Amino acid sequence: GAVVSQHPSWVICKSGTSVKIECRSLDFQATTMFWYRQFPKQSLMLMATSNEGSKATYEQGVEKDKFLINHASLTLSTLTVTSAHPEDSSFYICSASGGAPGRTDTQYFGPGTRLTVL
Amino acid sequence: LAKTTQPISMDSYEGQEVNITCSHNNIATNDYITWYQQFPSQGPRFIIQGYKTKVTNEVASLFIPADRKSSTLSLPRVSLSDTAVYYCLVGPSLNTGTASKLTFGTGTRLQVTL
């Protein structure tokens, strides 16, 4: 139980294009989803928190117009990197919480998406 | 958010027991302690979670003293496949009804060799 998937697992795009990453909770309903970014050899950095049906809350320093987050249902959240640039190249990881076996507010993580912007 | 402190790295031989200690001096009354494992280019994997005393599951044990200002993750008889980064986090909180943010520290890089 408590499985979270991400799609795509990796993506390469040209500078200036937009990329959408999907995060799905497969066997539970996620009232809250989180988006993290991780650079090589570094820890995870929280980008934003999204609750189903409401606007995402972004961490300080994260541009909300660049990183669009939509949490339209209890099993799906999307992160769109708009006008991507090489410095946006990173490993993006989502987590989902709510309703999973065990504690209802434990975060379960997806496998991550490797974004490379040329 | 409570800050955690862990050793940056640890080395172990295969078959040994590994104990990773985490300090969280300003843990709040409502906070749980959660440990995750992360392999390169993968998302963190939930290992164990506890509030006080001892918790054991099929992969690890978690020891939490009475003052809850630290915790120790115990991995019995590690194998090469346990080589990973282990993160200690304080959170989520009890009875909040919603998920609370987690702040990842540097983690402990465990290297297991033959």
Side-chain angles (χ1 to χ4, degrees):
Chain A
V3 178
V4 178
S5 70
Q6 281 184 241
H7 178 80
S9 56
W10 59 270
V11 57
I12 301 173
C13 69
K14 292 182 179 180
S15 185
T17 60
S18 294
V19 174
K20 179 184 284 188
I21 302 170
E22 292 186 348
C23 176
R24 293 181 185 273
S25 56
L26 299 184
D27 54 1
F28 66 101
Q29 294 185 324
T31 52
T32 306
M33 287 185 170
F34 300 85
W35 287 95
Y36 296 81
R37 181 166 51 180
Q38 186 174 33
F39 293 105
K41 302 289 187 182
Q42 294 187 24
S43 187
L44 283 78
M45 290 171 34
L46 179 65
M47 299 175 65
T49 302
S50 76
N51 292 295
E52 185 266 338
S54 61
K55 289 185 178 179
T57 302
Y58 291 81
E59 294 299 299
Q60 190 172 12
V62 178
E63 300 175 57
K64 61 181 180 181
D65 293 330
K66 180 169 185 64
F67 299 99
L68 302 179
I69 292 172
N70 186 304
H71 191 165
S73 77
L74 286 172
T75 60
L76 173 65
S77 176
T78 60
L79 167 67
T80 301
V81 183
T82 63
S83 187
H85 291 286
E87 58 265 29
D88 298 323
S89 298
S90 188
F91 192 52
Y92 291 86
I93 309 170
C94 73
S95 71
S97 177
R103 286 185 50 77
T104 58
D105 49 357
T106 297
Q107 290 186 36
Y108 295 92
F109 288 80
T113 297
R114 174 76 58 192
L115 170 63
T116 302
V117 184
L118 302 176
Chain B
L1 298 172
K3 182 180 177 180
T4 60
T5 303
Q6 310 172 228
I8 292 177
S9 64
M10 293 182 68
D11 295 309
S12 177
Y13 291 109
E14 196 172 42
Q16 289 187 326
E17 177 185 77
V18 171
N19 296 309
I20 306 175
T21 298
C22 177
S23 297
H24 28 80
N25 291 319
N26 59 343
I27 187 170
T29 303
N30 287 347
D31 286 334
Y32 268 69
I33 298 155
T34 309
W35 285 79
Y36 289 90
Q37 174 193 55
Q38 187 182 28
F39 297 111
S41 297
Q42 294 187 26
R45 182 176 76 101
F46 174 86
I47 301 175
I48 198 166
Q49 185 178 80
Y51 183 78
K52 62 180 179 181
T53 63
K54 177 184 175 182
V55 180
T56 298
N57 62 23
E58 61 276 7
V59 298
S61 295
L62 178 60
F63 300 91
I64 305 169
D67 65 6
R68 302 198 332 119
K69 293 184 182 300
S70 67
S71 60
T72 299
L73 173 72
S74 181
L75 304 173
R77 295 188 300 280
V78 295
S79 64
L80 296 176
S81 62
D82 293 317
T83 295
V85 178
Y86 293 82
Y87 292 99
C88 160
L89 295 105
V90 171
S93 298
L94 280 170
N95 301 322
T96 60
T98 58
S100 51
K101 297 193 295 187
L102 296 177
T103 299
F104 280 79
T106 56
T108 297
R109 194 171 296 273
L110 173 65
Q111 179 69 52
V112 180
T113 56
L114 291 173

